[in-house]
Amino acid sequence: MKQNFDDRKIVKQYREIARQIVKKEGLYKNMDQDELREQTNYWREKFKTKEMSERDKINIFALAREAASRIIGLDAVVVQLIGALVLGDGKVAEMKTGEGKTLMSLFVMFIEVMRGNRVHLVTANEYLARRDREEIGQVLEYLGISVALNESDLDKDQKKAIYTADVIYGTASEFGFDYLRDNMVRQKEDKVQSGLDFVLIDEADSILIDEARTPLLISDRKEEDLSLYQTANKLVKTMMKDEYEIEEHKRFVWLNDAGIEKAQKYWGVESLYSAEGQAELRITMLLMRAHFLMHKDKDYVVLDDEVLIIDPHTGRALPGRRFNDGLHQAIEAKEEVEVKEESRTLATITIQNYFRMYKKISGMTGTAKTEEEEFRQIYNMDVVVIPTNLRINREDVPDDIFYTKKEKGRAIVYEVSWRYEKGQPTLIGTSSIKSNEWISGLLDEAGIPHQVLNAKNHAQEAEIIAKAGKRGMVTLATNMAGRGTDIKLDPDVHKLGGLAVIGTERHESRRIDLQLMGRSGRRGDPGFSKFMISLEDDLLEQFESKSWEKLSVKLKRKAPRDGKPVNSSKIHAVVVNAQKRLEGANYDIRKDLLSYDEVIDLQRKMVYKERDLLLERNKLGVSSEKILREVAEYAFIHPVDIEQEKLEKYYARQKELLGGTKFPVSFDEVSLMEPAEVVEKIVTWHKKERDKFPIETITAIEKEVYLNLMDQMWVMHLDAMVQLREGIHLRAYGQQDPLVMYQKEGAQLFEKFQADYHFYFAHALLELDPDGLVQG
């Protein structure tokens, strides 16, 4: 990837600083560990009151460089120091695979701790977090910095201990879940997460972009009639192609008039779009998504009668994770395995909104420049390409394009076999388990021994990838291809041309192609990469373009069927165009998710802020009397000329507020009184009753009741927002923007949520019984 002018300017500026750091290597050579730790303490104290100068920065980097040299035997080179300086600016550093991003992280973490920040280092999985914590963590500990590993399934005290460390390694989901759990606690001392100061994200494109399509959810079981899924499955299995419309690349399917008629007849409802038909409509749409948009061995696998999600960007199965809002149940019904209860969301946040809460964020990856616009727009981060330490010696040859998948398969086997014969290790990349297993079958037929890495055996990932550079080894992998794991070459493999990477199809994102190519030619090693694709590949099959359809028909008609590749520049242009179009569509999906989540994000921040104030003060932020007065005024004071129907609603609310309480005035008497007089009577009576309690007791009761109601109503509100989000596209009509409708109706739902928990809190206050403490 060529660097733009700004990159070159930044790199040039930092190259000079990096050289000065290297020149300082003699500064700390003769100091023992205690003296180095004294230096650490000196810097930490200094920056509590002073700003860090460039000279300070150079000395701090030199100190960390000396420690790394002693403990792990690695001397950071100029390009690694440039990368660390870029990270310190809150940018994304694109650094080619094998250039030592892990060592680069040491410097930025160390300097941020010197600035007084807590540092969270986020990796793609727990294995990498543990590995990096052990390697770089020992260097930090040698310098007197405390380091911890944020693992899942730890208790509150263990988590609290972890969050006292200066540097904490962990996965994005674990940090995100800790944040959500902290906002569900009942006591301030039960919170575990300390401030969100600085986060450094390894494989930043994978976490901030690829994983951004899946929100983090904490849920419990939601009771519903699960047999409806099997019933809907029978209906959808009978659907003909002329009964629904589908836009696969937008992941959208809907019923046309014929389909609506058929579904209404099947369910026995007059209209699917009426309030009575909402449950049937929802369940039918879910089963249609499961059948027509979700593909087995691509989006999910079925292992031991259980449906497991496949991460679309890594090819890994995600045990324990379920598609939300009923989609998982729909797939279970489709695959005829046990349909498990749907979960109900208790708390949720997107990856984007979680990381945007940190005061400072930076990231490192081998591939980010293609998504520069997204990094800038969503995270306000620039991408800087860091030059390689040694020249890249990998030979990247143009794609071979075949007419059919069958021809492509034969050519791949031939390509692999002659490389296998001479002993050159080969890594074959596929985009799905299906094509992974297809190629594996072809290699078996050809008698070529190989190891397979996909979602069905990802537990052995590191072990399989570690062997991929051995002489004569053939490795077949889905796109995960051991990201973050070093492929070390046998010494004699260099003479054979290094590791050969064969891509069997172009992926939806050019980034993933570049990652696959980057498995070869690390640190100046020789290497080779080539993609072998066909006109029948998924990427081109789902590419809708009239000019491509014409060209495709013409090419297939003229096809000589001799098995040779048809390498025309027109087809290469189509492939690039298809990738760009899909990247754009996926970006729109992520942007869409963020736009919708921002509505909930504002609401979530308001609710969590109110909870924090309540936990902090140990009594209600807004006095109970004020809430009671507001609720009573809303229930009793209404316009004089109100119409009868609305008046009935007022009476119903008044009865609900006073029903079952000890309020000493009967409802008949209340209805004869002036509204303002009723409000005063309610407030005065409550005040008198409240004063009968010891102050600590009444404060604890009110706080507990308020939190209980707030949390229960918040869960119901989240559920209502999910239902609104699902139906908004179906209800959008004319020129109305679904997002604007969602914002408007979401705001109304939020107002209702606030009014509801205040109303039920006021009712609970009137139920207080000083003799029996609390009724009901």
Side-chain angles (χ1 to χ4, degrees), residues 370-482:
T370 53
E371 316 292 343
E372 185 167 26
E373 184 196 349
E374 188 162 349
F375 277 115
R376 196 172 286 139
Q377 281 198 0
I378 290 175
Y379 302 101
N380 196 24
M381 298 161 81
D382 289 323
V383 176
V384 178
V385 179
I386 311 298
T388 54
N389 185 38
L390 299 168
R391 195 168 65 84
I392 294 177
N393 286 324
R394 186 182 63 241
E395 182 191 1
D396 300 324
V397 302
D399 299 4
D400 277 348
I401 303 171
F402 299 87
Y403 288 102
T404 64
K405 276 188 178 175
K406 196 176 177 184
E407 288 173 4
K408 175 179 83 169
R410 279 205 300 267
I412 289 168
V413 170
Y414 174 72
E415 180 83 25
V416 173
S417 66
W418 70 261
R419 290 182 188 277
Y420 169 71
E421 291 298 327
K422 72 169 186 170
Q424 184 178 15
T426 309
L427 174 68
I428 308 160
T430 66
S431 69
S432 68
I433 293 180
K434 212 174 188 174
S435 52
N436 190 278
E437 291 176 342
W438 171 61
I439 301 274
S440 181
L442 295 177
L443 293 174
D444 282 338
E445 281 171 29
I448 299 170
H450 58 282
Q451 50 175 5
V452 178
L453 173 59
N454 62 35
K456 293 180 180 176
N457 68 337
H458 69 96
Q460 295 89 43
E461 178 181 342
E463 191 187 319
I464 290 171
I465 280 296
K467 291 183 199 159
K470 293 192 174 300
R471 186 187 171 97
M473 185 60 78
V474 176
T475 307
L476 183 55
T478 42
N479 2 354
M480 62 173 106

Side-chain angles (χ1 to χ4, degrees), residues 61 63-65 67-69 72 76 84 101-112 121 136-137 139-140 143 169 200 364:
F61 268 61
L63 175 61
R65 190 169 181 265
S69 181
I72 51 177
K101 288 190 284 290
T102 311
L103 180 58
M104 184 167 86
S105 69
L106 164 71
F107 297 94
V108 70
M109 290 193 292
F110 184 60
I111 207 160
E112 287 298 329
L121 188 134
I136 299 301
V139 183
L140 289 164
L143 289 167
Y169 283 82
L200 174 58
M364 47 193 189

Side-chain angles (χ1 to χ4, degrees), residues 178 183 234 263 265 278 280 339 404 466 471 530 568:
D178 286 344
N183 284 290
K234 287 173 189 162
K265 205 170 174 184
Q278 285 298 298
E280 287 79 6
V339 179
T404 64
R471 186 187 171 97
K530 176 163 80 171
S568 95

Side-chain angles (χ1 to χ4, degrees), residues 559-590:
R561 301 283 179 239
D562 57 1
K564 286 180 182 166
V566 25
N567 291 344
S568 95
S569 56
K570 275 185 181 174
I571 304 176
H572 286 286
V574 168
V575 171
V576 172
N577 199 358
Q579 281 186 309
K580 282 184 180 171
R581 193 123 28 118
L582 269 169
E583 282 169 3
N586 285 332
Y587 175 39
D588 289 344
I589 289 169
R590 291 190 293 269

Side-chain angles (χ1 to χ4, degrees), residues 213-370:
R213 279 164 67 172
T214 314
L216 299 173
L217 293 165
I218 291 180
S219 49
D220 69 355
R221 297 278 165 242
K222 180 179 179 181
E223 287 179 24
E224 65 171 340
D225 181 0
L226 297 174
S227 66
L228 280 175
Y229 288 96
Q230 278 113 342
T231 312
N233 188 44
K234 287 173 189 162
L235 162 67
V236 173
K237 279 166 91 171
T238 67
M239 285 280 177
M240 303 293 184
K241 278 197 171 172
D242 58 358
E243 290 171 333
Y244 62 89
E245 307 287 331
I246 187 166
E247 279 191 42
E248 184 135 358
H249 65 288
K250 285 190 180 170
R251 312 290 279 171
F252 206 56
V253 61
W254 66 97
L255 293 166
N256 58 24
D257 291 347
I260 290 168
E261 204 176 308
K262 182 177 198 170
Q264 284 170 178
K265 205 170 174 184
Y266 180 83
W267 289 111
V269 293
E270 202 170 309
S271 168
L272 272 181
Y273 294 91
S274 67
E276 292 73 40
Q278 285 298 298
E280 287 79 6
L281 171 65
R282 178 174 173 268
I283 223 111
T284 305
M285 299 312 292
L286 283 168
L287 261 299
M288 287 177 69
R289 280 173 68 194
H291 274 273
F292 307 130
L293 296 176
M294 307 302 290
H295 305 295
K296 189 178 176 182
D297 288 345
K298 183 182 176 191
D299 300 301
Y300 65 90
V301 280
V302 180
L303 284 177
D304 304 324
D305 287 336
E306 193 179 349
V307 172
L308 297 179
I309 299 176
I310 292 178
D311 184 320
H313 301 282
T314 63
R316 291 184 177 93
L318 302 169
R321 287 270 282 273
R322 289 174 70 79
F323 293 112
N324 56 327
D325 308 329
L327 182 58
H328 213 96
Q329 288 72 13
I331 296 169
E332 286 167 337
K334 168 193 168 184
E335 295 297 339
E336 296 179 359
V337 299
E338 185 199 345
V339 179
K340 294 176 181 148
E341 288 174 318
E342 189 184 338
S343 52
R344 178 181 60 157
T345 303
L346 299 180
T348 174
I349 192 167
T350 56
I351 292 282
Q352 292 120 311
N353 275 325
Y354 173 68
F355 283 119
R356 294 197 316 182
M357 288 191 296
Y358 280 84
K359 290 174 199 158
K360 184 174 173 185
I361 172 173
S362 63
M364 47 193 189
T365 177
T367 45
K369 206 67 181 172
T370 53

Side-chain angles (χ1 to χ4, degrees), residues 3-12 376 384:
Q3 291 176 359
N4 65 29
F5 176 70
D6 285 341
D7 283 5
R8 286 206 302 272
K9 207 159 95 177
I10 292 165
V11 168
K12 188 180 177 184
R376 196 172 286 139
V384 178

Side-chain angles (χ1 to χ4, degrees), residues 142-247:
Y142 181 79
L143 289 167
I145 304 289
S146 56
V147 186
L149 178 66
N150 187 16
E151 294 175 290
S152 51
D153 302 324
L154 299 179
D155 64 33
K156 181 187 74 186
D157 293 332
Q158 290 171 310
K159 281 277 185 188
K160 273 186 136 176
I162 283 167
Y163 278 103
T164 60
D166 298 316
V167 171
I168 308 163
Y169 283 82
T171 61
S173 56
E174 199 52 39
F175 284 116
F177 284 136
D178 286 344
Y179 167 76
L180 291 174
R181 283 189 287 259
D182 270 1
N183 284 290
M184 296 167 76
V185 299
R186 289 304 169 84
Q187 307 292 332
K188 188 189 169 198
E189 51 272 20
D190 289 344
K191 284 192 160 206
V192 299
Q193 200 170 61
S194 49
L196 303 179
D197 295 341
F198 172 73
V199 61
L200 174 58
I201 301 172
D202 192 11
E203 308 297 2
D205 58 320
S206 172
I207 290 164
L208 293 180
I209 290 177
D210 300 338
E211 286 188 23
R213 279 164 67 172
T214 314
L216 299 173
L217 293 165
I218 291 180
S219 49
D220 69 355
R221 297 278 165 242
K222 180 179 179 181
E223 287 179 24
E224 65 171 340
D225 181 0
L226 297 174
S227 66
L228 280 175
Y229 288 96
Q230 278 113 342
T231 312
N233 188 44
K234 287 173 189 162
L235 162 67
V236 173
K237 279 166 91 171
T238 67
M239 285 280 177
M240 303 293 184
K241 278 197 171 172
D242 58 358
E243 290 171 333
Y244 62 89
E245 307 287 331
I246 187 166
E247 279 191 42

